[in-house]
Amino acid sequence: AQSVTQPDIHITVSEGASLELRCNYSYGATPYLFWYVQSPGQGLQLLLKYFSGDTLVQGIKGFEAEFKRSQSSFNLRKPSVHWSDAAEYFCAVGARGNTGKLIFGQGTTLQVKP
Amino acid sequence: DGGITQSPKYLFRKEGQNVTLSCEQNLNHDAMYWYRQDPGQGLRLIYYSQIVNDFQKGDIAEGYSVSREKKESFPLTVTSAQKNPTAFYLCASWDRADTEAFFGQGTRLTVV
């Protein structure tokens, strides 16, 4: 069965420090991969997505993610975190075929210390 | 501006009552989705519709119903059969051209 695991429920980093949020997936083939961000009480905003090609993808707000097929991972990174990055982050996978059905991880809440 | 509008933002319901959450989009997307969000569980798919007048159950459809009479609208009814309806509900549409989901701002439903 398809699944997405975000091992870290809660992460705290200092402002200016680097960030890596982990995402592992289980899927029979290479899925579509997404990272979304959610501010409290709001909807989800797409940070970046991967379908094929270059395994390092760049997104908005200075985020990037790297697809590693051998590890079934799609970790999100940012070199220097800003206080405004505090939010909840979701990794999601979508089946090939462009149906739009997404499976989400449990989410990682990021807290930024001043 | 194009987007997805969910209303109301907050909704209170007494036990035993049905309630309908509104979702409207002006993005001209064919596919629309309803997700339920609970703390620590991510988003779970309730129902989805790939085209007008057609919809399918997601992973947690029990106690919910939907309709898709218009391309722009995909309302979700939370029925009295839903045992634990208090949650945050998110509606989304899917852009097949850009392979991307767009989300509304959500409706927080509380059963009192």
Side-chain angles (χ1 to χ4, degrees):
Chain A
Q2 302 167 21
S3 66
V4 179
T5 301
Q6 293 179 244
D8 304 305
I9 296 173
H10 194 107
I11 283 183
T12 300
V13 300
S14 297
E15 190 169 16
S18 64
L19 171 70
E20 182 170 29
L21 302 182
R22 296 182 291 165
C23 173
N24 295 98
Y25 66 90
S26 173
Y27 191 74
T30 302
Y32 295 152
L33 294 160
F34 305 85
W35 273 100
Y36 284 87
V37 62
Q38 183 184 36
S39 297
Q42 300 297 313
L44 275 65
Q45 180 184 22
L46 180 69
L47 287 175
L48 46 77
K49 57 189 176 185
Y50 172 79
F51 304 142
S52 63
D54 192 347
T55 56
L56 185 63
V57 293
Q58 303 296 320
I60 63 172
K61 304 185 180 186
F63 286 92
E64 66 178 25
E66 185 171 13
F67 169 62
K68 293 186 177 180
R69 184 190 306 275
S70 61
Q71 299 177 20
S72 296
S73 69
F74 188 55
N75 294 347
L76 182 71
R77 302 194 294 246
K78 187 169 185 179
S80 178
V81 170
H82 188 263
W83 63 266
S84 60
D85 293 324
E88 190 159 19
Y89 292 80
F90 292 95
C91 180
V93 301
R96 294 282 173 173
N98 207 358
T99 65
K101 287 179 62 180
L102 300 181
I103 298 172
F104 286 84
Q106 302 93 321
T108 298
T109 299
L110 173 64
Q111 183 179 358
V112 180
K113 294 191 301 183
Chain B
D1 286 334
I4 298 180
T5 302
Q6 290 186 240
S7 61
K9 188 171 178 65
Y10 300 96
L11 189 56
F12 296 88
R13 189 196 88 174
K14 293 183 178 179
E15 284 192 20
Q17 289 181 338
N18 293 354
V19 65
T20 298
L21 283 60
S22 171
C23 178
E24 302 279 333
Q25 57 106 351
N26 60 3
L27 299 168
N28 200 34
H29 293 163
D30 287 316
M32 297 185 73
Y33 307 81
W34 274 105
Y35 292 92
R36 170 179 171 141
Q37 184 177 12
D38 296 282
Q41 296 194 49
L43 280 70
R44 294 179 290 167
L45 183 63
I46 304 172
Y47 266 99
Y48 63 103
S49 169
Q50 299 284 351
I51 198 167
V52 175
N53 292 322
D54 187 44
F55 49 83
Q56 288 79 40
K57 294 181 180 179
D59 300 318
I60 56 166
E62 185 176 353
Y64 300 98
S65 66
V66 294
S67 63
R68 187 82 186 279
E69 298 176 359
K70 299 187 300 181
K71 188 175 186 178
E72 300 79 18
S73 180
F74 191 40
L76 173 74
T77 297
V78 184
T79 75
S80 57
Q82 169 52 234
K83 299 303 181 187
N84 185 22
T86 295
F88 190 56
Y89 292 87
L90 285 161
C91 178
S93 67
W94 181 256
D95 182 343
R96 291 197 176 102
D98 286 338
T99 320
E100 178 178 338
F102 290 81
F103 285 83
Q105 295 299 295
T107 293
R108 183 165 299 281
L109 172 64
T110 303
V111 174
V112 297

